[in-house]
Amino acid sequence: MSSPFLLTPEILLKVYQAGIFPMAESADDPELFWVDPKRRGILPLDGFHLSRRLRRVVRQDRFEVRVDSDFSATLAGCAEATEKRPNTWINAEIVRLYTALFARGAAHSVESWQDGALVGGLYGVSIGGAFFGESMFSRVTDASKVALVHLVALLRHGGYRLLDMQFLTPHLAQFGAIEVPRAQYQSLLATALRYRCVFPLGFGADADGGEAGGGTGALAALQASNVTS
């Protein structure tokens, strides 16, 4: 169903808390529609799968990982058409709404930088103890994967309970993502929303400068979890 009225950030946050999220048919379509999948893709935070190869990439700090340093550019990167992804669902209305959510501290980006350029990243919405992953992009091999590793580490560090990935894809399945029925998802969401988590900018107690803290910090934050290799 398309949205018949002008959405506000406040309405959008309530929609997320009901287990529903918006999408557009294409980047050129001005309208949004609501999605409430029968089976939901989630990435269990205590069952994250990190391969030995990717662990090595993270440890080598091939990318400088930042948090919220350029949300607009990250959103634009997720919206751009590529050879592998010629069509995207991020339209002007999505850009307006999530930029507004970022301005009020409810949306965040995890970004991979290399030689001063943004080369990959992801963004999503944070409510209570739930993080709703929206989209990711990569211009350099492993850039978005490293951002995802840091996201999971940050969420564990911040005490989050749920990482919602919306739909299960083969790409996400390699990290341990699974599908759950709608009723189970609603239960997980209700539990997560009871927590009051603050999205961390890094892994140190004094991390306040928009830096994730490097690969060593991310791997240390994951160490206590059931991360497999």
Side-chain angles (χ1 to χ4, degrees), residues 26-144:
S26 70
D28 299 324
D29 190 333
E31 296 188 341
L32 302 179
F33 61 91
W34 301 114
V35 184
D36 182 13
K38 291 183 178 180
R39 297 189 64 81
R40 193 68 158 246
I42 67 169
L43 182 49
L45 292 171
D46 61 352
F48 183 60
H49 178 91
L50 180 59
S51 69
R52 291 179 180 177
R53 187 196 69 81
L54 187 55
R55 185 190 299 270
R56 186 166 56 251
V57 172
V58 172
R59 185 180 293 114
Q60 291 172 345
D61 283 329
R62 297 183 189 179
F63 305 99
E64 178 191 356
V65 180
R66 306 178 188 173
V67 177
D68 293 349
S69 74
D70 201 335
F71 183 87
S72 295
T74 304
L75 185 56
C78 291
E80 66 187 10
T82 66
E83 184 176 337
K84 292 183 178 180
R85 187 179 61 179
N87 300 307
T88 74
W89 53 271
I90 299 175
N91 64 2
E93 181 70 347
I94 291 287
V95 172
R96 179 185 73 83
L97 285 167
Y98 289 82
T99 300
L101 287 181
F102 174 71
R104 60 178 290 163
H108 300 277
S109 58
V110 181
E111 312 147 10
S112 293
W113 293 74
Q114 195 171 68
D115 299 326
L118 177 65
V119 294
L122 55 86
Y123 77 95
V125 176
S126 173
I127 309 175
F131 189 87
F132 307 84
E134 286 295 313
S135 186
M136 62 177 63
F137 79 102
S138 186
R139 296 172 181 147
V140 174
T141 300
D142 293 328
S144 63

Side-chain angles (χ1 to χ4, degrees), residues 189-201:
L189 176 61
T191 298
L193 291 176
R194 290 200 290 266
Y195 290 81
R196 297 196 173 202
C197 299
V198 176
F199 192 84
L201 297 180

Side-chain angles (χ1 to χ4, degrees), residues 205-229:
D206 59 349
D208 58 1
E211 301 294 336
T216 301
L219 293 176
L222 291 171
Q223 190 172 8
S225 69
N226 298 325
V227 177
T228 57
S229 59

